[in-house]
Amino acid sequence: MNYQKLKGTVDLLPEETRKWQFIEDKARDLMRTYQFNEIRTPMFEQLELFARGVGETSDIVTKEMYDFRDKGDRHIALRPEGTAGVVRAYVENKLYGPEYHKPTKLFYMGPMFRYERPQSGRQRQFHQIGVEVFGSRNPSVDVETMVLGMDLFKQFGITDLKLVINSLGSSETRKIYREELIAYLEPHLDDLSKDSQVRLYKNPLRVLDSKDKKDKEIVKDAPSILDFLDEASKAHFEAVKGMLEDLEIPYVIDTNMVRGLDYYNDTIFEVITTNPKFGANATVCAGGRYDGLVEEVGGPSTPAFGFGCGLERLVLLLEHMDFDYPELNPLDAYIVTMGDRADQSANKLARILRQNGLSVEREFMNRKAGKQFKTADKLNADYVFTLGDQEIDNGIVQVKRLSTGIQTEVSLSELASSFDETFSAMIRSTEKGEE
Ligand code: ATP
Ligand code: MG
C-alpha cells in the first residue's frame, strides 16, 4: 500500500515547524502584552452548536463541515472555526460569574477543519489564532481588538496591510435593510450567479459578499447598510472611527463587506494584505462584534467581540518577504566518539551537559572522526567534545570551540562535580586572544 495524506492537509516537517514555533511564540508574547489568556476547547463539538453559532445558511455549515456520527450516534463536527466552541465554554463554565475580571479576554490557537477546494492559502485542515472579548459594548474594545489583529502581522514587519471596516447595525436594522436589498436585487435576479440566486431570499446580505464577477458588478450600486443604522449603532460606528483616527490607524469603509458568519452586529472588520503576490485569498484576519451569540448559545445576554486570523496566510506572507527566521534549536555541543568505550562514556557526558541546560547531540552512527567533525560543523555546534580511549584513561575530554578553532582539555570529574566553574574556565580558555 502507498499511503498519502488527504487532500487539503499538509505535513509540517521540522524545517517548517521551526518557523511555526517562532510565529506561535511571538503571537503568544503579543497576547500577553494585551492581557489575553489562552483557552483550549475541544477539536470536535456537537454539530448543532456550529449550526446555531455559525449560522444555518452560512457556507461553513451548509457545505464545509466535517461531520460524522460517533459510535454513540451523536452528530458531531470537527470545529470549522473557534468562536462557537469558546462561547460554549464561556457559558458552560460560567465565566461571566462575579469572581472573574471583566471583560473576559481569551485567545486560542489551533487547527480548524473545512471541506473546501484546496489552493494556496486554503486548506482543509488549517490553523487559526483568534481572540474573543466578552462583557463590554465599549467601542474601545472593538478598536483594541482590531489593532491587536493588525499587530499580529505588524510585529513581523509586515506592512502591506489594509484595515477594512463596516457596520452591520442591529438586528432590527438588518431586517429593514434585508427588504431594501431584496428589492434592489430582484430586478437583477436572472443575471445573478446560481449561488446568489439561492441566497437572495435566504440570506441576501451574503450576495454582497459574492466573489462572482457579475454579482460584484450588480452589488456595486446596492443600497448601503450604513444609511439604515439606528442612532445607537451610528454613534458606536462614529466612536470606532474616531478612535482609529486618534491612533492614526488608516482604515477604509467597505459597505458591501458582510463576513461569512451570520452572528455579527455593528462593527465588522477584515485585515487584507495588499501584497500583489497574494491574489484571491488576501483576507488574513477577520472578525467583529457579536452581541447576541452568548445568549443564543444559552448564556446571559453578553456583548462580545472577536476575530480569527489564518496562520497559513501569515506564514505565506513571511515567505513572500523572505523573512529571516532565527535559529530555533541551536546546538551547544556535539560529542565525537572513537571506539566502544567512548560510545558508552558519551552517554554520561551528554547527560551532565544536558542537566546543566545545554543542548547536546552525540555520535550514534560510528562514523570516522573526520566525518563526525563535519557533522558537528554542519549542525553549527558551538563546541565539539571528543572522547577516545586515551581521553577516558586520562579522565578528560578534548574540547574544541568551532568559532575560534581553539582547543582545550577538560576534566570529566570536575565537569561532573563543579560544572559552572569548569565550564566557565573552558569558555575562557577557548576565547580568541586568550592564547
Ligand atoms: P474566505 O472568504 O477566504 O473563505 P472566511 O470568511 O471563510 O474566508 P473566516 O471564517 O472569517 O474566513 O476565517 C478567518 C481567517 O481564517 C481567514 O481570513 C483566513 O485567513 C483563514 N482561513 C479561513 N479558511 C481557511 C482555509 N480553508 N485555509 C486556510 N486559512 C483559512
Ligand atoms: Mg470560507
Side-chain angles (χ1 to χ4, degrees):
M1 252 321 256
N2 226 338
Y3 295 109
Q4 285 176 338
K5 60 186 176 299
L6 290 169
K7 203 172 154 182
T9 66
V10 298
D11 299 315
L12 293 177
L13 306 179
E15 190 50 38
E16 287 299 306
T17 51
R18 184 175 83 85
K19 301 174 186 169
W20 280 75
Q21 281 179 37
F22 169 74
I23 291 169
E24 288 161 3
D25 287 349
K26 293 277 278 186
R28 284 208 171 83
D29 288 346
L30 184 67
M31 290 297 163
R32 264 190 283 280
T33 69
Y34 276 82
Q35 280 291 305
F36 277 75
N37 293 308
E38 187 178 4
I39 183 167
R40 300 190 188 190
T41 65
M43 223 76 84
F44 55 86
E45 303 259 5
Q46 241 178 299
L47 175 117
E48 175 61 25
L49 173 68
F50 299 117
R52 249 308 151 85
V54 181
E56 307 271 1
T57 60
S58 64
D59 280 358
I60 291 179
V61 169
T62 55
K63 300 184 197 154
E64 298 174 358
M65 256 196 314
Y66 275 92
D67 65 314
F68 59 97
R69 292 199 174 266
D70 73 2
K71 294 190 197 313
D73 206 34
R74 298 171 192 88
H75 201 171
I76 284 171
L78 302 186
R79 65 181 188 194
E81 54 94 53
T83 301
V86 174
V87 170
R88 198 252 328 118
Y90 176 81
V91 172
E92 188 173 342
N93 297 285
K94 299 194 172 58
L95 297 186
Y96 47 78
E99 67 271 40
Y100 295 107
H101 168 75
K102 287 190 184 55
T104 312
K105 295 162 66 169
L106 303 169
F107 82 90
Y108 59 83
M109 192 161 25
M112 306 292 161
F113 307 86
R114 296 184 193 176
Y115 193 78
E116 304 207 59
R117 201 163 59 77
Q119 52 197 278
S120 166
R122 196 176 288 284
Q123 296 168 192
R124 291 183 173 174
Q125 177 175 340
F126 63 101
H127 299 79
Q128 280 185 347
I129 180 165
V131 307
E132 319 292 350
V133 183
F134 296 105
S136 172
R137 266 198 61 81
N138 189 336
S140 284
V141 165
D142 307 28
V143 171
E144 178 178 281
T145 312
M146 292 193 287
V147 173
L148 168 58
M150 303 274 287
D151 279 352
L152 271 172
F153 297 88
K154 281 190 176 166
Q155 67 171 337
F156 298 102
I158 298 169
T159 49
D160 39 11
L161 299 169
K162 199 166 75 175
L163 175 63
V164 185
I165 64 171
N166 190 21
S167 174
L168 296 179
S170 64
S171 58
E172 196 52 41
T173 295
R174 285 193 303 285
K175 215 176 282 166
I176 299 166
Y177 178 65
R178 202 189 123 99
E179 296 311 315
E180 290 287 329
L181 188 59
I182 292 176
Y184 169 82
L185 291 172
E186 262 176 339
H188 301 283
L189 183 65
D190 294 338
D191 295 327
L192 287 172
S193 68
K194 282 265 154 352
D195 272 350
S196 290
Q197 288 181 6
V198 174
R199 284 183 183 135
L200 180 56
Y201 297 102
K202 269 204 203 149
N203 194 348
L205 268 69
R206 294 298 317 280
V207 177
L208 295 177
D209 197 33
S210 169
K211 281 163 188 148
D212 181 274
K213 230 187 182 156
K214 241 167 134 195
D215 289 355
K216 277 190 168 169
E217 199 55 40
I218 293 168
V219 301
K220 223 175 54 196
D221 300 317
S224 160
I225 192 163
L226 296 182
D227 295 331
F228 296 85
L229 298 186
D230 60 27
E231 288 309 313
S233 289
K234 240 185 242 166
H236 191 94
F237 198 48
E238 286 307 313
V240 166
K241 291 193 293 184
M243 288 170 183
L244 286 173
E245 280 152 29
D246 187 43
L247 290 171
E248 293 175 21
I249 293 176
Y251 63 86
V252 291
I253 298 172
D254 177 355
T255 59
N256 279 350
M257 180 176 74
V258 296
R259 303 290 316 117
L261 319 183
D262 286 348
Y263 48 58
Y264 292 114
N265 65 276
D266 287 316
T267 319
I268 58 169
F269 79 102
E270 290 190 4
V271 180
I272 295 175
T273 168
T274 52
N275 188 318
K277 289 179 184 158
F278 242 73
N281 301 317
T283 302
V284 292
C285 183
R289 184 162 277 289
Y290 53 96
D291 292 339
L293 185 60
V294 174
E295 205 171 2
E296 183 76 21
V297 170
S301 167
T302 307
F305 195 99
F307 67 66
C309 282
L311 285 178
E312 276 75 10
R313 293 183 196 181
L314 172 54
V315 173
L316 267 176
L317 271 174
L318 294 175
E319 289 307 304
H320 287 324
M321 59 190 261
D322 288 318
F323 189 81
D324 197 11
Y325 291 90
E327 201 179 343
L328 244 202
N329 192 4
L331 180 62
D332 296 319
Y334 191 90
I335 305 174
V336 167
T337 66
M338 284 173 293
D340 291 345
R341 287 170 70 209
D343 181 76
Q344 186 169 337
S345 269
N347 292 335
K348 207 175 283 170
L349 177 58
R351 194 160 164 77
I352 292 167
L353 297 175
R354 288 181 184 137
Q355 279 169 342
N356 286 283
L358 271 67
S359 101
V360 180
E361 180 59 300
R362 50 151 293 168
E363 174 67 10
F364 286 108
M365 311 306 291
N366 298 319
R367 285 169 290 200
K368 295 217 169 70
K371 273 260 165 70
Q372 296 187 42
F373 263 92
K374 274 211 186 99
T375 304
D377 224 11
K378 220 167 104 187
L379 293 176
N380 215 3
D382 283 344
Y383 296 93
V384 180
F385 286 66
T386 304
L387 287 170
D389 287 337
Q390 210 179 342
E391 282 78 14
I392 293 168
D393 288 341
N394 296 330
I396 57 126
V397 57
Q398 305 281 352
V399 181
K400 184 178 180 184
R401 184 172 187 160
L402 289 187
S403 60
T404 60
I406 298 171
Q407 210 155 320
T408 187
E409 279 180 18
V410 177
S411 150
L412 284 168
S413 59
E414 281 173 25
L415 206 54
S417 59
S418 47
F419 181 86
D420 287 347
E421 272 181 354
T422 315
F423 201 76
S424 305
M426 179 201 97
I427 291 175
R428 273 196 308 277
S429 63
T430 53
E431 260 161 18
K432 256 248 146 73
E434 275 290 304
E435 296 297 87

